[in-house]
Amino acid sequence: MVMQKATPHALDALIQALRVLPGVGAKSASRMAFHLMQHERAGALQLAKALEHACDHVRHCVTCHTLTEFEICTMCADPERDRSQLCVVETPADQAAIERTSTFRGLYFVLMGKLSPLDGVGPNDLGFAKLSERCADGQVQEVILATNFTGEGEATAHVIAEMLKKRGLRVTRLARGVPAGSELEYVDLGTIAHALVDRR
Amino acid sequence: MVMQKATPHALDALIQALRVLPGVGAKSASRMAFHLMQHERAGALQLAKALEHACDHVRHCVTCHTLTEFEICTMCADPERDRSQLCVVETPADQAAIERTSTFRGLYFVLMGKLSPLDGVGPNDLGFAKLSERCADGQVQEVILATNFTGEGEATAHVIAEMLKKRGLRVTRLARGVPAGSELEYVDLGTIAHALVDRR
């Protein structure tokens, strides 16, 4: 008799497949697989269907580059949004974070990443040409750079700002400063320094 | 025009479906969904297939109750395992942990849970009758209780021990003591106390 591994193949394959999820290693994957098979078969089948449906239907909005089911995403197609303001973000999650504040009524451009030369991500991968073209539609008057305040996010914002300022567009950046609800004693030096420089 | 939510439906459905995974909340689920759609479409489709295949094929071994593709799992069917020893564990993950040590050559019974009256998990849910029947096959001579050393795991071990001792079986429990590689100074009091009592 040929010896087989103790864990059956279908489970092995499932554990291996689950590792495609970000942040899920071997242990989490097997915990997930056992949990699904023991307690959540209906949920597992629904997840399989949702994955297939999303892979078939989700694509990039031709206008803002975000993930959507439509050729033009619902936000870009919404006539009530202010077409004179364009907010540049790294990811759909960042876009969602700004939307939750309900303080921005303009449109977005989603880079789907940030400049990262070490990982081989350059201006072409982030669609800078498309962004430049998008800004030349005659309606955009202000571009708000809302990339993250990390080294790579700052560099991305800087390169975009240089590119768009040449075209005579007004380019702004989210304000840096002390977070709401925080005590100065516990805020890092760099943040306080920026808040002092940018005081109003 | 009917207003639609900014996140498209297929993505929403995927984010919702991902929350079936243990330990995955709203934020992780959306991070996972965006990652899959942006970088891992092939992996996402493979995950969908693995989920469907596992749901169709994975069931409980009729002998040891673990998750398997076969009527009798490969371990129970392996003629080289020692049929006189039966190790009782809570989950397939615990079984895998013991297998990794390569020090046990007997068979297993997987409870797929632990006694937990507050969650409504009683002896019937864990198949105690089946375990009792399994131990009466005339081959099992020793039952090793390897449930976790938590309150519920200890209670489960205690109830099984009482049940099986009545039938005249030898029932043992994994040794409690100081973990390998640890320094006494940092080991908790309860563990040291047990290690003293169980000294050899």
Side-chain angles (χ1 to χ4, degrees), chain A residues 17-118:
Chain A
L18 281 163
R19 296 189 58 181
V20 77
L21 298 170
V24 173
K27 278 217 167 164
S28 309
S30 66
R31 197 165 52 90
M32 286 174 168
F34 292 137
H35 176 82
L36 290 177
M37 289 302 106
Q38 180 69 2
H39 302 295
E40 291 280 7
R41 297 228 170 181
L45 285 175
Q46 199 159 357
L47 174 55
K49 284 201 178 59
L51 283 164
E52 279 170 354
H53 183 80
C55 284
D56 280 353
H57 291 83
V58 173
R59 49 184 171 163
H60 291 284
C61 169
V62 295
T63 314
C64 75
H65 214 219
T66 197
L67 293 167
T68 174
E69 269 172 287
F70 312 104
E71 193 180 353
I72 294 176
C73 74
T74 46
M75 201 180 293
C76 287
D78 182 354
E80 306 207 343
R81 306 285 308 201
D82 178 357
R83 266 140 222 290
S84 68
Q85 293 186 319
L86 188 74
C87 181
V88 178
V89 291
E90 291 180 20
T91 64
D94 296 338
Q95 180 183 16
I98 294 176
E99 278 300 292
R100 276 196 294 277
T101 69
S102 304
T103 53
F104 181 68
R105 291 297 302 159
L107 292 177
Y108 291 88
F109 188 89
V110 185
L111 297 169
M112 289 289 169
K114 58 204 169 219
L115 286 181
S116 180
L118 290 179

Side-chain angles (χ1 to χ4, degrees), chain A residues 9-10 38 41 58 60 69 74, chain B residues 9-10 38 41 58 60 69:
Chain A
H9 297 133
Q38 180 69 2
R41 297 228 170 181
V58 173
H60 291 284
E69 269 172 287
T74 46
Chain B
H9 297 135
Q38 180 69 3
R41 297 229 173 182
V58 173
H60 291 284
E69 271 174 284

Side-chain angles (χ1 to χ4, degrees), chain A residues 178-179 181-189 191-192:
Chain A
V178 181
S182 57
E183 293 177 61
L184 282 186
E185 187 182 348
Y186 303 107
V187 174
D188 71 292
L189 292 183
T191 301
I192 294 183

Side-chain angles (χ1 to χ4, degrees), chain A residues 1 3-11 13-14 17-18 20-24 27-28 30-60 65 67-70 73-75 77-80 92-93 95-96 99-100 105 111-113, chain B residues 1 3-11 13-14 17-18 20-24 27-28 30-60 65 67-70 73-75 77-80 92-93 95-96 99-100 105 111-113:
Chain A
M1 183 185 164
M3 276 290 291
Q4 285 180 284
K5 281 181 67 188
T7 320
H9 297 133
L11 266 181
L14 177 56
L18 281 163
V20 77
L21 298 170
V24 173
K27 278 217 167 164
S28 309
S30 66
R31 197 165 52 90
M32 286 174 168
F34 292 137
H35 176 82
L36 290 177
M37 289 302 106
Q38 180 69 2
H39 302 295
E40 291 280 7
R41 297 228 170 181
L45 285 175
Q46 199 159 357
L47 174 55
K49 284 201 178 59
L51 283 164
E52 279 170 354
H53 183 80
C55 284
D56 280 353
H57 291 83
V58 173
R59 49 184 171 163
H60 291 284
H65 214 219
L67 293 167
T68 174
E69 269 172 287
F70 312 104
C73 74
T74 46
M75 201 180 293
D78 182 354
E80 306 207 343
Q95 180 183 16
E99 278 300 292
R100 276 196 294 277
R105 291 297 302 159
L111 297 169
M112 289 289 169
Chain B
M1 184 185 163
M3 276 290 288
Q4 285 179 281
K5 282 182 68 188
T7 320
H9 297 135
L11 265 182
L14 176 57
L18 281 164
V20 78
L21 298 171
V24 174
K27 278 216 164 162
S28 310
S30 66
R31 196 165 52 89
M32 285 173 171
F34 291 136
H35 176 81
L36 290 177
M37 289 303 106
Q38 180 69 3
H39 302 293
E40 290 281 7
R41 297 229 173 182
L45 284 176
Q46 197 158 359
L47 175 55
K49 284 202 178 58
L51 283 164
E52 278 171 355
H53 183 80
C55 284
D56 278 352
H57 290 83
V58 173
R59 50 184 170 161
H60 291 284
H65 214 219
L67 293 166
T68 174
E69 271 174 284
F70 312 103
C73 73
T74 46
M75 200 181 294
D78 182 353
E80 305 207 346
Q95 180 183 14
E99 277 301 293
R100 276 196 294 276
R105 292 296 303 159
L111 297 169
M112 289 289 169

Side-chain angles (χ1 to χ4, degrees), chain B residues 8-183:
Chain B
H9 297 135
L11 265 182
D12 270 344
L14 176 57
I15 292 168
Q16 200 54 43
L18 281 164
R19 296 190 58 182
V20 78
L21 298 171
V24 174
K27 278 216 164 162
S28 310
S30 66
R31 196 165 52 89
M32 285 173 171
F34 291 136
H35 176 81
L36 290 177
M37 289 303 106
Q38 180 69 3
H39 302 293
E40 290 281 7
R41 297 229 173 182
L45 284 176
Q46 197 158 359
L47 175 55
K49 284 202 178 58
L51 283 164
E52 278 171 355
H53 183 80
C55 284
D56 278 352
H57 290 83
V58 173
R59 50 184 170 161
H60 291 284
C61 169
V62 294
T63 313
C64 76
H65 214 219
T66 197
L67 293 166
T68 174
E69 271 174 284
F70 312 103
E71 192 180 354
I72 294 178
C73 73
T74 46
M75 200 181 294
C76 286
D78 182 353
E80 305 207 346
R81 307 284 308 198
D82 178 357
R83 266 140 223 289
S84 67
Q85 293 186 320
L86 189 74
C87 182
V88 178
V89 292
E90 290 180 19
T91 64
D94 296 338
Q95 180 183 14
I98 293 177
E99 277 301 293
R100 276 196 294 276
T101 69
S102 304
T103 53
F104 181 66
R105 292 296 303 159
L107 293 176
Y108 291 88
F109 188 91
V110 185
L111 297 169
M112 289 289 169
K114 58 205 168 214
L115 286 181
S116 180
L118 291 177
D119 301 322
V121 180
N124 290 337
D125 303 293
L126 301 179
F128 278 18
K130 200 168 156 186
L131 170 60
S132 177
E133 193 187 308
R134 172 78 183 79
C135 295
D137 72 346
Q139 293 186 292
V140 175
Q141 281 161 24
E142 179 184 0
V143 178
I144 300 160
L145 301 176
T147 53
N148 288 324
F149 285 83
T150 57
E152 290 169 332
E154 293 277 24
T156 308
H158 178 75
V159 173
I160 295 175
E162 291 299 305
M163 176 179 83
L164 296 180
K165 273 178 188 160
K166 277 187 211 151
R167 309 187 67 128
L169 282 160
R170 182 169 175 231
V171 181
T172 57
R173 180 90 170 103
L174 285 192
R176 263 183 307 211
V178 181
S182 57
E183 293 177 60

